[in-house]
Amino acid sequence: MTMNELLNAVGIKKPSLRIKKNPKMLQVLKYCNDHDIDIYESGMDINEDAFLVLLENIHSIETLAEILKNSAVLLNIDFNPKEIALFYNLYDSKVLQYSTESEILIDKEYLKYATKEWTEKYFLAQPKVLHVSKNRMMLKNNPHDCYDEDYIDTSLLNLVALKKAKDLGLLKEAIEKISE
């Protein structure tokens, strides 16, 4: 694969020399060719500057290759490249997927009270849904069965609850409640 083919597959339609000569981009190309990794055209247009922000902030070529194969993540690169890089520098893309809801998991305050391991192993496995209000916090069963048409995954509901808890200044308490 050539640099132009890689950048076109990523969605950068008119790449500049700045990205073509970027040391990390050259490393990505070499990694993809050495490991026979195929990046298929996503059909999206990615902003070169946003992609460069992602590239500058990502720590692992292997992680970047996983991101490039995930079209759901590629959709967000233009809007949240730094957050995506920070998220995947911390969490395994096979365990957690980036979304605007999951940004709470890279929040400095969240990381003050919760570890990566706790998040991946305990938070995601929590079978109950956290309900947060100013006066009370409680864990309840998910109101819908996984076979229901309007089912929402418990971990997604808990991400939303964590964001609400942070907004209310109760993030530490919410994490403690989920840990029960």
Side-chain angles (χ1 to χ4, degrees):
M1 168 178 354
T2 68
M3 180 63 77
N4 283 337
E5 291 170 336
L6 175 59
L7 291 169
N8 189 48
V10 167
I12 299 171
K13 301 303 179 203
K14 294 181 182 175
S16 69
L17 280 178
R18 184 175 71 152
I19 196 167
K20 289 180 180 180
K21 300 292 183 188
N22 182 293
K24 270 193 184 175
M25 200 65 221
L26 293 169
Q27 293 167 22
V28 170
L29 177 63
K30 181 172 178 9
Y31 180 86
C32 288
N33 286 330
D34 289 352
H35 293 87
D36 203 27
I37 294 175
D38 291 322
I39 306 295
Y40 298 103
E41 270 191 60
S42 62
M44 293 179 258
D45 288 337
I46 304 293
N47 178 293
E48 181 177 317
D49 291 333
F51 188 80
L52 282 167
V53 170
L54 175 76
L55 196 61
E56 290 166 8
N57 287 283
I58 202 80
H59 297 308
S60 164
I61 291 174
E62 188 175 293
T63 300
L64 181 60
E66 287 298 316
I67 290 171
L68 296 179
K69 292 192 285 184
N70 187 333
S71 59
V73 176
L74 287 176
L75 286 169
N76 286 301
I77 287 178
D78 282 354
F79 308 105
N80 304 308
K82 189 171 185 176
E83 292 80 2
I84 290 169
L86 295 172
F87 187 85
Y88 287 116
N89 284 338
L90 184 59
Y91 297 109
D92 185 344
S93 63
K94 294 172 185 89
V95 176
L96 272 169
Q97 292 297 307
Y98 172 83
S99 67
T100 52
E101 289 81 14
S102 66
E103 278 186 14
I104 187 72
L105 302 179
I106 57 172
D107 181 89
K108 286 183 183 188
E109 184 183 1
Y110 176 83
L111 292 170
K112 183 177 174 180
Y113 302 117
T115 64
K116 166 195 184 316
E117 294 80 9
W118 179 86
T119 301
E120 290 179 347
K121 292 182 178 137
Y122 190 80
F123 175 77
L124 292 177
Q126 173 56 266
K128 297 196 177 219
V129 176
L130 179 67
H131 293 272
V132 177
S133 69
K134 278 187 176 184
N135 303 323
R136 192 171 164 183
M137 242 180 267
M138 63 183 140
L139 289 171
K140 290 183 174 180
N141 289 327
N142 193 325
H144 301 284
D145 185 80
C146 64
Y147 302 108
D148 289 348
E149 185 177 301
D150 52 355
Y151 174 76
I152 300 174
D153 187 68
T154 301
S155 60
L156 178 58
L157 293 171
N158 284 336
L159 288 171
V160 173
L162 286 176
K163 173 73 172 100
K164 183 176 180 182
K166 178 171 174 58
D167 292 345
L168 292 171
L170 300 169
L171 188 56
K172 179 182 177 186
E173 293 80 0
I175 291 168
E176 289 170 348
K177 189 69 173 175
I178 291 173
S179 295
E180 289 180 353

